[in-house]
Amino acid sequence: MRKLLRNLLRARWFQQFAGLLAAGFLRLVWTTNRFSYDPDDVYDLVEPQMPVILAFWHGQHFMTPFIKRAHHRGKVLISRHRDGEFNALAAERLGIETIRGSGDHGSAFNRKGGVGAFKEMVRALEENYNVALTADVPKRSRVAGLGVIMLARESGRMIMPFAMATSRCIRLNNWDHTTINLPFGRGALVGGEPISVPADADAEMMETLRARLEATLNDATRRAYARIGRPELEAGCCDVSRTSESGY
């Protein structure tokens, strides 16, 4: 039975079907939640800086394709792992191009396709694409890695940290506390303070900016949940499989 399930999950037709369903569900979530923005003029502030590097936390990625407006160009970094295939297919259905590989600059960087993905992200920014990726690396939730900082140093582009939250959601008991957003509630998109990385940044400066990115993302996430009136969802980030009950 386990082998049958594994083969099903790896089947291309099943992955495409799941990606189609996921994209349709996420569109429903986006259109049935009333989203507010912090700051209110967030797009007016970000658009003059484009292309930018958009950074967010693992587990809070499902609504991120909807920050893209029709005239924006965007690509997102998604791992080569089997789970990443579903995310990639859903993102492509929602009009976001994908870059496959790892943002982790640890010992598995080469094996996970990190070198090629990094070069592709730099090239995408040069070609006027915004590039989105998670700031934390697998198995270390809410701890920013150096990957985003290195990309900003190499490309010369600004990092725009942000968080998205909905008042109705399910939070899973996995390493990144994946949040599955639900329809018919309120939503918030909160932008954090932009971060630039000088081309000559040394190791000490990069660590300082890494810590600043981590703090900025945590602050944006807290503000997002406070804005929708559910600060306890962020405070209880380790709660398991909880569905919020509030609507509008």
Side-chain angles (χ1 to χ4, degrees):
M1 183 65 181
R2 186 175 299 177
K3 182 178 180 181
L4 180 63
L5 179 60
R6 184 170 61 249
N7 290 339
L8 178 63
L9 293 174
R10 290 175 176 174
R12 184 65 180 174
W13 69 266
F14 180 81
Q15 292 173 345
Q16 291 178 331
F17 179 68
L20 177 63
L21 284 182
F25 176 76
L26 292 176
R27 284 194 187 96
L28 174 67
V29 174
W30 174 252
T31 56
T32 59
N33 277 276
R34 294 188 303 164
F35 269 82
S36 61
Y37 302 88
D38 178 10
D40 294 334
D41 59 346
V42 62
Y43 282 100
D44 293 333
L45 296 173
V46 172
E47 287 184 341
Q49 304 294 334
M50 289 183 175
V52 296
I53 301 165
L54 298 159
F56 53 97
W57 284 140
H58 259 105
Q60 299 185 335
H61 58 280
F62 287 118
M63 301 309 298
T64 58
F66 298 100
I67 67 173
K68 177 182 175 294
R69 289 182 166 177
H71 59 286
H72 296 164
R73 304 176 77 194
K75 294 188 178 186
V76 61
L77 177 67
I78 297 178
S79 75
R80 292 178 174 179
H81 189 272
R82 182 179 65 240
D83 293 344
E85 195 65 29
F86 298 103
N87 291 331
L89 289 167
E92 289 165 0
R93 290 278 183 177
L94 295 171
I96 308 295
E97 297 182 44
T98 58
I99 297 171
R100 305 303 301 274
S102 174
D104 183 356
H105 282 250
S107 59
F109 186 53
N110 291 333
R111 178 172 54 82
K112 293 181 179 180
V115 174
F118 186 83
K119 291 180 178 179
E120 191 172 348
M121 286 190 290
V122 172
R123 185 163 56 249
L125 289 162
E126 291 173 348
E127 294 173 353
N128 211 36
Y129 282 90
N130 298 308
V131 171
L133 71 162
T134 53
D136 47 349
V137 298
K139 311 305 180 185
R140 300 190 68 198
S141 177
R142 306 286 182 95
V143 177
L146 281 171
V148 178
I149 304 300
M150 293 176 68
L151 179 61
R153 184 181 65 174
E154 180 69 21
S155 66
R157 307 312 305 180
M158 191 81 73
I159 301 170
M160 298 290 181
F162 73 97
M164 296 182 77
T166 56
S167 59
R168 301 191 67 250
C169 62
I170 297 171
R171 180 164 283 148
L172 303 183
N173 184 29
N174 56 357
W175 73 269
D176 61 4
H177 309 294
T178 300
T179 300
I180 301 174
N181 308 99
L182 299 176
F184 307 113
R186 289 172 294 157
L189 166 60
V190 174
E193 190 69 26
I195 297 171
S196 62
V197 182
D200 60 351
D202 59 15
E204 182 178 359
M205 178 176 288
M206 291 181 68
E207 171 56 27
T208 298
L209 294 175
R210 184 209 64 78
R212 184 186 301 175
L213 173 61
E214 186 175 300
T216 300
L217 278 172
N218 282 332
D219 178 66
T221 303
R222 285 191 294 268
R223 286 160 51 205
Y225 281 105
R227 193 173 181 90
I228 57 176
R230 301 303 307 276
E232 76 279 6
L233 287 176
E234 171 58 13
C237 68
C238 293
D239 290 355
V240 299
S241 301
R242 180 172 64 178
T243 305
S244 63
E245 299 297 337
S246 67
Y248 290 93

